[in-house]
Amino acid sequence: MTDTSDSTFASFLDAIEAGNPFYLTCPNDHGSLPPKRICPECTEQTLSKESLPETGEIVTYTNVAVPAPRFRDDSPYVTAIADFGPITLTGQLQGVDSDDVQIGQTVQLTVGSADGERFVAFERP
Amino acid sequence: MTAFGEHPDRSGRDLFAEAGLAALEDAGLTPDDVDEVFYGNFVGTLSENQGHQGPLMSEAFGSTAPAKRIEGACASSGLAIREAARVVRNGEADVVVAGGMERMTNMDTAGATASLAVAADALYEVRPGVTFPAAYALMARAYFEQFGGDRTDLAHIAVKNHENALVNDHAHLQTEISVDDVTEAPTVADPLGLYDACPISDGASAVILTSDAYAEHHDLDAPVAITGSGQGGDRMALQDRDSFAKTPATRDAAQEAYDDATVVPDDIDVAEVHDCFTIAEVLALEALDLYEDGEAIGAARRGETTRDGPLPVNLSGGLKAKGHPVGATGTAQIAAVAKLLAGTHPRADALDSPTVGLAQNAGGTVASATVHVLEVVE
Ligand SMILES: [Zn+2]
């Protein structure tokens, strides 16, 4: 087993930035996101890291007109949930016109930053 | 309860004192009669820099009984009523106060937006900019994609709940609106606009629960009983759920409450559900098994959940028009259903001898849900 106790939210973002995004998986192939000590689906405690597929597909999104305060200079912005297969992620869609977003579109992972805090972001491949 | 609305200059303790004292007076009891207090509050540590609110709020209405603050985001006082009902039914207490309070408007919009967002996952949802409306917008778009429906369907829910609140002097918004007003309002997070969202409100609510034996022995007027209680949970972040268009925490809570009360969904005469956004009323009605999945989106438009329909929903005005002082909402719903069943609510005339009512309270994007069944005492 791989020790995944060093898998934090920060290390998850580091891995995206390094071009090697990962997710956690249990012996029953349930995907989950760090930090985790137990599989939320089946309670297996033997978790290991696996490479995350490079692209995901938008399953829902919203164009946010009244922004979170940290993004007051960036509104409107789009947040979306994208399915990457073993896991599903919420991210801010960057570099895309809000009129040009649709369910089913392909995105890849990147990392954004606002007020010194990093976050999951998506961009077009 | 207090009037819900904007009370930026009133302290939380003053708001709760008003609600608690009114509830005691209505029940014919005094502060000394209270055995225990369960108090719901969401962001009091942020909005008033005040922790340890349980004893503070009890003191405000004249009690030093053991008190707990309970936090479950927008479901905080739904959780409070559940704990209160539990200790009374277990025989651990005879007279319990359940209530809640929230102050929001003393913060600016940015502060309130940031405060409300803390109900979501701080790392995976709040960081990329998911606001409270944005989270429900993600659910609304997923619902439209899976089941159909549009902004006009949602608008009919807002129009209905505003209309219901017109006679409710405790409501935050007593303004009639049209479907066009809703669909043409500024977007907050598409597909949701300004009139799809509940207002940001201050207020407090409290209800008194007593054991049957106590009410009988003291000859109290207790016309309505809580006969069923349920609570459900779910993964915290939307992204970790199987569907973004369903709320299984409410379904689990409802099943438990229906079984507890030995009723079925068909028995429900009136319901107050958690419509923080118009889409939330749809999700609730389906999870409560009052509608099949995909069917509740048109319920208000078809006139089924309106005041003159077969199943009036949110006769109080709901969160949408009555207002949503977060921690006060769950017990305000219980108070509304109790008054509707007792015939003392300003919208009680919409009902013909109702016997069974329901209140559904939800936290965050429904990672917490409570359902309570109330019945007229024979
Ligand atoms: Zn597993």
Side-chain angles (χ1 to χ4, degrees):
Chain A
M1 104 184 222
T2 318
D3 182 9
T4 60
S5 61
D6 65 339
S7 297
T8 61
F9 181 68
S11 72
F12 176 70
L13 296 179
D14 291 343
I16 296 172
E17 287 178 331
N20 299 306
F22 69 88
Y23 67 101
L24 304 179
T25 187
C26 77
N28 298 316
D29 293 331
H30 299 128
S32 62
L33 291 160
K36 286 280 184 310
R37 286 171 184 262
I38 188 165
C39 172
E41 294 291 329
C42 70
T43 71
E44 274 283 353
Q45 295 193 36
T46 310
L47 302 180
S48 57
K49 286 190 197 178
E50 287 288 337
S51 290
L52 187 63
E54 285 179 9
T55 60
E57 191 174 279
I58 292 178
V59 287
T60 186
Y61 67 92
T62 178
N63 187 18
V64 184
V66 179
R70 284 188 303 128
F71 297 107
R72 69 183 77 79
D73 298 331
D74 302 322
S75 71
Y77 57 88
V78 176
T79 60
I81 299 179
D83 184 356
F84 286 81
I87 53 105
T88 302
L89 276 163
T90 311
Q92 193 172 119
L93 186 55
Q94 300 190 324
V96 176
D97 191 82
S98 60
D99 294 335
D100 192 26
V101 184
Q102 281 179 2
I103 288 172
Q105 283 174 336
T106 299
V107 293
Q108 64 185 23
L109 280 172
T110 182
V111 173
S113 178
D115 283 1
E117 280 194 330
R118 294 183 300 163
F119 57 87
V120 173
F122 303 140
E123 59 188 12
R124 290 274 162 78
Chain B
M1 60 187 267
T2 68
F4 285 2
E6 297 186 13
H7 307 294
D9 300 324
R10 288 181 64 183
S11 60
R13 65 190 83 180
D14 178 50
L15 290 167
F16 197 75
E18 182 187 341
L21 287 168
L24 283 169
E25 187 185 341
D26 188 50
L29 294 167
T30 69
D32 288 338
D33 297 322
V34 175
D35 295 326
E36 199 164 347
V37 178
F38 295 92
Y39 163 79
N41 175 262
F42 175 39
V43 291
T45 46
L46 299 175
S47 66
E48 290 197 294
N49 293 313
Q50 179 68 62
H52 207 177
Q53 291 195 11
L56 180 74
M57 297 302 162
S58 298
E59 182 183 333
F61 68 84
S63 170
T64 51
K68 281 191 188 74
R69 172 189 166 204
I70 298 178
E71 190 274 309
C74 319
S76 295
S77 59
L79 301 179
I81 195 86
R82 179 164 163 78
E83 293 311 305
R86 198 188 328 246
V87 299
V88 171
R89 293 170 105 192
N90 285 350
E92 296 168 33
D94 282 318
V95 178
V96 177
V97 172
M101 186 284 298
E102 208 73 53
R103 288 185 70 201
M104 301 294 299
T105 70
N106 60 320
M107 301 181 279
D108 60 10
T109 302
T113 302
S115 296
L116 286 170
V118 305
D121 184 318
L123 299 178
Y124 285 100
E125 296 184 310
V126 180
R127 288 254 191 136
V130 177
T131 61
F132 190 40
Y136 274 87
L138 291 168
M139 298 167 90
R141 180 161 271 121
Y143 184 97
F144 290 168
E145 177 75 7
Q146 184 170 352
F147 298 116
D150 57 31
R151 287 201 61 185
T152 303
D153 290 316
L154 295 179
H156 281 270
I157 296 167
V159 169
K160 165 180 74 72
N161 293 349
H162 272 254
E163 205 271 339
N164 285 340
L166 289 177
V167 298
N168 182 355
D169 290 337
H170 285 114
H172 187 165
L173 304 175
Q174 286 186 288
T175 45
E176 200 164 2
I177 58 170
S178 69
V179 169
D180 286 346
D181 289 336
V182 183
T183 55
E184 290 166 12
T187 299
V188 175
D190 81 321
L192 302 179
L194 189 61
Y195 283 117
D196 288 290
C198 64
I200 289 170
S201 316
D202 306 313
S205 64
V207 300
I208 314 292
L209 301 187
T210 70
S211 61
D212 290 339
Y214 188 94
E216 203 167 312
H217 186 251
H218 291 83
D219 203 22
L220 300 180
D221 181 27
V224 176
I226 292 178
T227 56
S229 175
Q231 184 181 346
D234 202 349
R235 299 283 296 276
M236 173 81 168
L238 267 184
Q239 64 186 25
D240 294 322
R241 308 214 191 128
D242 292 336
S243 169
F244 312 131
K246 294 179 187 176
T247 50
T250 293
R251 177 155 279 142
D252 292 347
Q255 201 55 60
E256 185 184 0
Y258 291 145
D259 289 349
D260 191 17
T262 331
V263 299
V264 295
D266 263 356
D267 295 330
I268 304 299
D269 296 316
V270 61
E272 290 283 314
V273 306
H274 196 92
D275 59 329
C276 48
F277 298 92
T278 46
I279 186 66
E281 180 167 314
V282 177
L283 299 172
L285 293 176
E286 293 177 6
L288 292 165
D289 286 332
L290 297 170
Y291 278 86
E292 299 281 326
D293 287 348
E295 293 297 320
I297 183 74
R301 192 177 193 163
R302 294 190 298 267
E304 295 163 3
T305 51
T306 51
R307 194 149 60 88
D308 50 2
L311 177 64
V313 173
N314 285 328
L315 281 171
S316 70
L319 285 59
K320 178 69 202 69
K322 180 172 89 257
H324 183 32
V326 180
T329 286
T331 33
Q333 292 176 315
I334 297 290
V337 174
K339 287 177 179 173
L340 286 162
L341 290 177
T344 56
H345 192 279
R347 279 293 185 218
D349 59 1
L351 303 168
D352 183 20
S353 305
T355 56
V356 187
L358 174 149
Q360 177 259 357
N361 189 202
T365 49
V366 203
S368 294
T370 62
V371 172
H372 288 89
V373 174
L374 284 76
E375 295 184 67
V376 173
V377 176
E378 295 296 328

